[in-house]
Amino acid sequence: MKKLIAEFIGTLWLVLGGCGSAVLAAGFPDLGIGFVGVSLAFGLTVVTMAYAIGHISGCHLNPAVSIGLWIGGRFNGKELVPYILSQVLGGIAGAGILYVIATGKPGFEVGGFAANGFAEHSPGNYSMASALITEIVMTFIFLFVILGTTHSKAPKYLAGLAIGLCLTLIHLISIPVTNTSVNPARSTSQAIFADGSWATGQLWLFWVAPIIGAILAGIVYKYVSPETDN
């Protein structure tokens, strides 16, 4: 139960910190943080939680991460569903807090609410195919870095920093394409509160693509550097 509470709180923070920066601060008049600031915010949520709850739950904060670690032989499959449920619920709680804060401003329009999308709902109007490829590849790299930095032969005290910086870089690359998901819990939480049904209608891609990328990374990394190596 302690692990699940940690995942709930960690994912709540990821959504509140990352998506919160996008909704509240990215376009703030004159002093907005822009794409770079949002990218850093997502990375910082992972860095801070990696050191806060990494020793409790492993700090997955993401169903794709849990699945990738399971495929890679680093995570017990019996814990997979409870972890995913905790992450999704934590993300929704974070989005709910953000919604309450954001709507406290007179004239605030919910709009896309930092939801992920493609085609006309992509920040750069990128196609569904572009979004699919982007999310698969970015999640693959994210999991590859996670599996590498948490390997028994790696210097683990640097893992949280490397993983957070990787997520920052992923956002710098892919925000214009999909608003960057690589995390089904993050996508689900924002889609629920976004204005209109388009976000939930496109949500399937932001579950399917990250999971495919995570599975591929788990298979590849387990092959190139299995934990059983001497």
Side-chain angles (χ1 to χ4, degrees):
M1 181 58 72
K2 292 179 181 178
K3 293 180 180 181
L4 301 182
I5 293 172
E7 285 296 305
F8 178 93
I9 294 172
T11 312
L12 182 156
W13 178 233
L14 181 142
V15 168
L16 185 57
C19 296
S21 71
V23 172
L24 302 176
F28 198 82
D30 300 325
L31 298 174
I33 61 174
F35 283 176
V36 174
V38 174
S39 300
L40 285 170
F42 271 101
L44 289 171
T45 62
V46 171
V47 171
T48 52
M49 277 298 161
Y51 295 107
I53 67 170
H55 62 288
I56 302 172
S57 68
C59 190
H60 297 186
L61 317 184
N62 181 339
V65 171
S66 297
I67 291 170
L69 291 174
W70 171 56
I71 294 293
R74 307 281 190 85
F75 184 59
N76 189 338
K78 293 181 180 179
E79 296 184 280
L80 188 59
V81 172
Y83 260 58
I84 291 173
L85 289 174
S86 296
Q87 292 155 2
V88 171
L89 291 174
I92 292 171
I97 293 170
L98 176 58
Y99 182 85
V100 171
I101 294 171
T103 54
K105 178 183 178 180
F108 174 78
E109 295 182 4
V110 175
F113 205 60
N116 301 112
F118 53 84
E120 68 269 26
H121 299 294
S122 157
N125 294 314
Y126 286 86
S127 68
M128 182 180 71
S130 294
L132 189 68
I133 293 169
T134 298
E135 290 293 327
I136 290 173
V137 173
M138 295 299 157
T139 310
F140 175 91
I141 296 298
F142 190 40
L143 263 295
F144 198 84
V145 170
I146 291 171
L147 288 160
T149 56
T150 58
H151 194 279
S152 60
K153 297 180 180 179
K156 290 186 176 58
Y157 61 92
L158 292 175
L161 182 59
I163 294 166
L165 287 173
C166 180
L167 188 62
T168 298
L169 178 55
I170 285 169
H171 277 77
L172 287 171
I173 296 167
S174 61
I175 286 178
V177 184
T178 63
N179 249 350
T180 308
S181 172
V182 303
N183 185 338
R186 170 260 191 269
S187 297
T188 301
S189 67
Q190 299 306 119
I192 289 173
F193 291 92
D195 189 15
S197 61
W198 69 264
T200 53
Q202 294 189 354
L203 184 59
W204 65 269
L205 186 145
F206 302 103
W207 275 87
V208 172
I211 289 173
I212 290 173
I215 290 172
L216 291 174
I219 293 170
V220 172
Y221 202 90
K222 190 175 182 179
Y223 173 74
V224 300
S225 186
E227 282 286 1
T228 54
D229 276 356
N230 294 321

